[in-house]
Amino acid sequence: GFCNMDIQNVGVTGQSISSKEDQNLYYDHPDLLQRKVSNIANMIRNCKHAVIYTGAGISTSADIPDYRGPEGLWTLADKGIAGNVPDMLSVQPTVGHLVIAKLIEDKLVHHVISTNIDNLHLRSGIPLEKITELHGNLFMEKCGDCNAKFYRDFNVTSGNQELVATLVGEESSLSSTRKCDYCNGNLMDSIIRFGKFIDDEDTEISGKISWDADLALVLGTSMRVSPANKLPIYSCRKNNGNLVIVNLQLTPFDDEAIKVYSETDHFLHLLAQELGLNIPSETPDGYQRSVNVDIYEYHQQKYSELESQGLKTPSNQVKHEKNAHASLLSSVLSFNKNTLENV
């Protein structure tokens, strides 16, 4: 086998971070953010096998709620409030989705592994063979007998209320009245709910790809749901590579990562600029997409707001430095230490 990964059914781990702490959203000072982006761009240029891992945070700017943020589906469910999820046909890929598709197209990133079920990666133009969707796709159904996959132009689950129930982990079994084109078996939706096993093929593919990665870019996830949260750490633990986590909240793996506190759209927009990529201004379906704020000013404001609340963005003094880019990493850390004390 490719690894000894503890392949298990989908569940929550990393409970050491409190739900109260999860309400804190941190932002890097804009000067430090740009310095980190420059260093990560160098890592992308120099690595052999970059893999992107995405979670709900990459789709929040498409008006799809995340899980653990202040307005997240699980946060609201804990308060007895039903979250509001938009019609999934009406949402469009974000700037971040388009940049990721461009990174794949330009062969700067090898593969995308996602726990999102919203279909936005495929709609942004990523080819099917370049993405593994560990938790399924609302627009894909599978044959219960021969495992054939069928991608649809409609949400194969039966409506938003059942969708919200699915997202917050309540059990629902949604089968289709449609039949398999190949064996006439019953078609089922492809969503992997809590306690269910990830598809064997997806497990094998994502494991092999992660096993080879020397750069893992983790975007918009609090990294609490297993086994998906274990895949990115091979890059630094096994391959002496780098683990980069871009998320506004803390994750259980921050101590061994280069952590960027930024919204994923803003980080990816800056990264594309740093790499000299032509950032698409519209989705393949023709919808306009752009970052419509001054990222520097936005981060300056958010950073100041945190200070006024007595909160300080964690400095992320990485413990795990045995990688090929230790000098780049140390420059980020020294910048962090020396510059931000005087900001």
Side-chain angles (χ1 to χ4, degrees):
F2 56 85
C3 63
N4 295 319
M5 187 169 84
D6 177 16
I7 301 297
Q8 62 187 79
N9 53 358
V10 174
V12 178
T13 61
Q15 295 296 339
S16 58
I17 299 173
S18 69
S19 55
K20 184 171 185 289
E21 172 56 50
D22 270 335
Q23 305 316 301
N24 293 333
L25 304 181
Y26 298 103
Y27 289 82
D28 275 327
H29 184 277
D31 291 333
L32 178 58
L33 173 63
Q34 187 58 60
R35 184 76 169 265
K36 288 180 177 179
V37 166
S38 299
N39 288 348
I40 292 162
N42 280 332
M43 292 173 193
I44 290 174
R45 291 187 193 103
N46 294 325
C47 74
K48 296 190 177 90
H49 193 95
V51 179
I52 283 178
Y53 301 81
T54 66
I58 197 157
S59 295
T60 52
S61 61
D63 296 325
I64 301 172
D66 61 11
Y67 297 102
R68 298 177 188 280
E71 299 298 321
L73 288 172
W74 291 344
T75 305
L76 295 176
D78 287 345
K79 299 174 182 174
I81 303 169
N84 186 32
V85 177
D87 172 13
M88 300 305 283
L89 274 172
S90 69
V91 297
Q92 301 300 327
T94 66
V95 169
H97 287 100
L98 296 178
V99 173
I100 292 170
K102 186 69 177 166
L103 287 166
I104 289 284
E105 181 187 335
D106 289 1
K107 297 183 170 53
L108 290 165
V109 168
H110 178 71
H111 200 84
V112 175
I113 296 172
S114 185
T115 54
N116 293 347
I117 59 177
D118 54 31
N119 201 41
L120 292 182
H121 279 306
L122 289 174
R123 287 178 59 200
S124 70
I126 293 179
L128 265 178
E129 67 272 13
K130 285 293 180 183
I131 183 167
T132 303
E133 296 176 306
L134 292 177
H135 293 176
N137 184 321
L138 289 168
F139 292 78
M140 187 260 283
E141 49 193 356
K142 292 167 64 174
C143 175
D145 294 333
C146 75
N147 236 19
K149 296 178 179 180
F150 299 91
Y151 287 86
R152 308 298 190 189
D153 58 2
F154 53 88
N155 180 352
V156 302
T157 65
S158 57
N160 280 344
Q161 275 321 104
E162 291 207 78
L163 168 59
V164 173
T166 296
L167 289 173
V168 297
E170 295 169 24
E171 183 60 40
S172 56
S173 179
L174 307 173
S175 61
S176 165
T177 55
R178 292 173 289 279
K179 297 289 186 181
C180 176
D181 293 353
Y182 304 108
C183 74
N184 207 39
N186 291 322
L187 296 185
M188 309 287 292
D189 77 40
S190 59
I191 305 306
I192 308 294
R193 296 167 181 84
F194 276 106
K196 301 302 180 187
F197 285 91
I198 289 174
D199 180 88
D200 287 345
E201 182 185 2
D202 290 339
T203 297
E204 184 74 15
I205 291 169
S206 61
K208 281 181 174 173
I209 286 166
S210 301
W211 191 241
D212 292 335
D214 60 350
L215 175 60
L217 291 166
V218 180
L219 307 172
T221 167
S222 54
M223 295 185 76
R224 312 290 170 76
V225 176
S226 63
N229 63 347
K230 297 173 182 172
L231 293 168
I233 59 180
Y234 289 133
S235 62
C236 62
R237 290 190 187 173
K238 170 185 171 284
N239 296 330
N240 269 352
N242 286 291
L243 169 63
V244 173
I245 300 174
V246 181
N247 200 53
L248 297 176
Q249 297 150 294
L250 303 185
T251 88
F253 300 96
D254 290 351
D255 280 349
E256 32 192 329
I258 296 157
K259 179 67 181 288
V260 181
Y261 293 96
S262 169
E263 287 165 26
T264 52
D265 274 1
H266 295 174
F267 168 77
L268 286 163
H269 178 85
L270 293 174
L271 182 67
Q273 284 184 326
E274 190 72 27
L275 289 167
L277 301 184
N278 180 21
I279 306 171
S281 60
E282 60 179 41
T283 71
D285 292 337
Y287 288 85
Q288 297 297 309
R289 275 287 180 256
S290 63
V291 171
N292 53 11
V293 298
D294 182 308
I295 296 174
Y296 190 97
E297 285 183 10
Y298 181 84
H299 265 257
Q300 181 82 64
Q301 179 189 345
K302 291 290 189 181
Y303 190 84
S304 299
E305 285 173 9
L306 282 170
E307 284 194 319
S308 69
Q309 296 166 32
L311 287 171
K312 188 171 173 59
T313 298
S315 61
N316 184 225
Q317 299 294 339
V318 177
K319 295 170 186 168
H320 183 90
E321 289 192 29
K322 57 172 204 245
N323 56 59
H325 301 283
S327 61
L328 290 174
L329 187 56
S330 63
S331 74
V332 168
L333 297 179
S334 62
F335 176 87
N336 195 336
K337 183 166 177 276
N338 299 332
T339 309
L340 293 192
E341 286 171 358
N342 303 315
V343 168

